[in-house]
Amino acid sequence: MNYFLKSKNRARGKFLRSLGLGLLIAVFFALFGFFAPTILSGFFVRLATPAWNLGNALSSETWTSTQFWRSKIALVEENKALKVSLEEARLKEVAYETLKDENNTLKESFGRELPQGFILAGVLARPPQIPYDTLLVDVGQKDGVRVGDSAFAADSIVLGTIIEVYESQSKIELYSNAARKTPAFISGTNMSVLLQGRGGGDFEIVLPRESPITEDDVFVVAGIEGFTVAQVKTIDGKSTDSFQNVLAESPVNTLLLRFVTIRRQ
Amino acid sequence: MYPRIYINIGILVGILYTPWWFGVLALVLGFVFIERFYEGIVLAAIADTLYGVSYRDAENLYLTYLFMAVILFIVLMFLRTRLSFYALS
């Protein structure tokens, strides 16, 4: 029986061609991303937005229908717990409103205007869908959003800043992003610290042993408004160590965020 | 050949809707079972451009997906010629 012998050179050539093509694709995307990041990501974000909107609508619908099948006992228990937390929140709100009025009066008397220009944005994609600490929201250039604008949950918890703006979408980098360091103060003591992002809404701070910090403290970003950025989770360190390691977390669970507010600069 | 397009759509859906680790797992399986999976590199690049922080400087290149995809692509290309697992399939 006659047959062609397998050519080693031909197989090797095919192998190298495939390898080269794969690497060429990767280099193309890496260079494109480096020199013109917003063009490529803007294009893909625009394409993916209808899919994310559909996904968000479907997940909301699925959640509603699964709630229908929950047992009555579980609902009664949840109702009780919610009533208790509602009462606690009402009491806190009374104190909050008083403090807010006092804060506004103080700012006005010092000639500083109140923060204005907030716009509401729906979250298109969030962690854990996103491995990086970023959020994609449905407001963009046409809504007046610009790079550097701050993103908030509620009206006093700052989440991060806008890093990329497309026509109708924007990308927010959370302060907890692993590559990010945020200057902040420990509220109460006014001690300046540098919050090192650790991903997943967590932060790490290394402080001298004598630093006055407790587990009830919160960190506020520098500025007159004093927006909360994180709260202390745990304080580690032996009594013999020179430093203590403080782990902090964002007061907001980014996994459950559906809306954020953007403050235009 | 025809399931390849479905696998690609599946991985894209995984990247768009599911937690990141599911998308990564789907991508890894794609590289393991599909020969010369160039689309995997493109899908990884799409994930990076969609979710990653801008490539502001060489120190903070956020190309996690793309880097992983290229490594898998190269390693599995070499393994394909040496493993009986691929010879049998």
Side-chain angles (χ1 to χ4, degrees):
Chain A
M1 193 176 175
N2 295 325
Y3 58 90
F4 288 112
L5 285 170
K6 257 191 177 177
S7 164
K8 252 190 172 179
N9 281 342
R10 194 184 290 174
R12 196 173 174 178
K14 196 181 167 190
F15 177 85
L16 287 175
R17 268 199 305 279
S18 304
L19 194 67
L21 185 59
L23 290 176
L24 200 70
I25 296 169
V27 169
F28 168 77
F29 277 104
L31 288 178
F32 210 109
F34 189 79
F35 291 110
T38 48
I39 296 175
L40 204 61
S41 54
F43 172 72
F44 287 128
V45 167
R46 210 165 38 244
L47 278 184
T49 301
W52 280 325
N53 282 332
L54 180 73
N56 283 339
L58 284 175
S59 68
S60 161
E61 202 58 41
T62 316
W63 189 83
T64 314
S65 50
T66 50
Q67 295 306 300
F68 181 78
W69 300 104
R70 291 178 66 192
S71 78
K72 282 181 183 173
I73 297 165
L75 282 174
V76 169
E77 289 301 320
E78 190 183 345
N79 192 287
K80 276 183 195 167
L82 284 173
K83 274 180 184 165
V84 172
S85 62
L86 185 69
E87 185 57 24
E88 284 172 3
R90 197 186 63 76
L91 292 170
K92 277 182 187 167
E93 197 189 348
V94 174
Y96 171 75
E97 287 301 327
T98 317
L99 288 171
K100 196 176 167 185
D101 288 342
E102 188 186 317
N103 194 292
N104 290 343
T105 317
L106 280 168
K107 281 174 190 165
E108 278 165 12
S109 65
F110 281 105
R112 297 293 291 259
E113 284 183 12
L114 291 173
Q116 286 195 352
F118 279 84
I119 49 170
L120 189 68
V123 178
L124 292 170
R126 64 187 77 72
Q129 186 181 339
I130 304 178
Y132 310 105
D133 267 29
T134 53
L135 294 175
L136 279 153
V137 292
D138 64 355
V139 289
Q141 242 163 16
K142 67 178 186 185
D143 305 286
V145 177
R146 288 180 191 168
V147 171
D149 289 355
S150 303
F152 294 82
D155 58 351
S156 61
I157 296 162
V158 64
L159 296 168
T161 50
I162 301 278
I163 50 159
E164 279 174 32
V165 181
Y166 316 111
E167 199 186 335
S168 312
Q169 302 87 8
S170 314
K171 196 183 281 179
I172 300 168
E173 185 186 18
L174 301 178
Y175 285 125
S176 56
N177 193 300
R180 193 152 181 176
K181 286 178 181 168
T182 311
F185 291 101
I186 303 171
S187 73
T189 61
N190 290 331
M191 184 181 168
S192 175
V193 293
L194 201 59
L195 297 174
Q196 169 70 59
R198 277 283 168 260
D202 290 336
F203 301 88
E204 189 178 20
I205 312 104
V206 179
L207 292 172
R209 158 72 40 208
E210 298 78 25
S211 302
I213 188 162
T214 64
E215 294 205 350
D216 299 322
D217 283 334
V218 294
F219 297 96
V220 293
V221 285
I224 188 169
E225 294 96 347
F227 295 117
T228 306
V229 66
Q231 60 191 19
V232 176
K233 198 172 167 185
T234 51
I235 303 170
D236 285 337
K238 293 172 195 161
S239 54
T240 49
D241 292 344
S242 308
F243 293 94
Q244 52 187 340
N245 201 26
V246 180
L247 294 174
E249 63 182 353
S250 173
V252 179
N253 186 352
T254 47
L255 275 64
L256 304 172
L257 272 180
R258 296 204 63 189
F259 299 99
V260 294
T261 47
I262 312 289
R263 190 178 68 161
R264 286 178 288 190
Q265 285 184 333
Chain B
M1 193 69 182
Y2 72 92
R4 193 161 172 148
I5 185 78
Y6 298 124
I7 292 168
N8 284 325
I9 293 170
I11 295 171
L12 186 63
V13 168
I15 289 169
L16 287 179
Y17 294 120
T18 61
W20 65 270
W21 51 265
F22 193 85
V24 168
L25 189 69
L27 211 52
V28 170
L29 291 176
F31 276 105
V32 170
F33 290 105
I34 298 176
E35 199 178 354
R36 290 193 289 278
F37 192 41
Y38 303 116
E39 310 94 294
I41 298 175
V42 177
L43 287 166
I46 290 174
D48 274 328
T49 50
L50 277 180
Y51 302 138
V53 183
S54 345
Y55 315 119
R56 287 163 299 192
D57 47 58
E59 223 176 274
N60 289 317
L61 278 177
Y62 277 72
L63 295 166
T64 319
Y65 277 100
L66 191 62
F67 187 71
M68 180 205 75
V70 169
I71 297 288
L72 277 173
F73 182 80
I74 295 169
V75 169
L76 285 163
M77 274 201 78
F78 280 102
L79 284 182
R80 259 172 212 287
T81 57
R82 288 165 177 80
L83 289 182
S84 58
F85 171 73
Y86 288 112
L88 292 170
S89 60

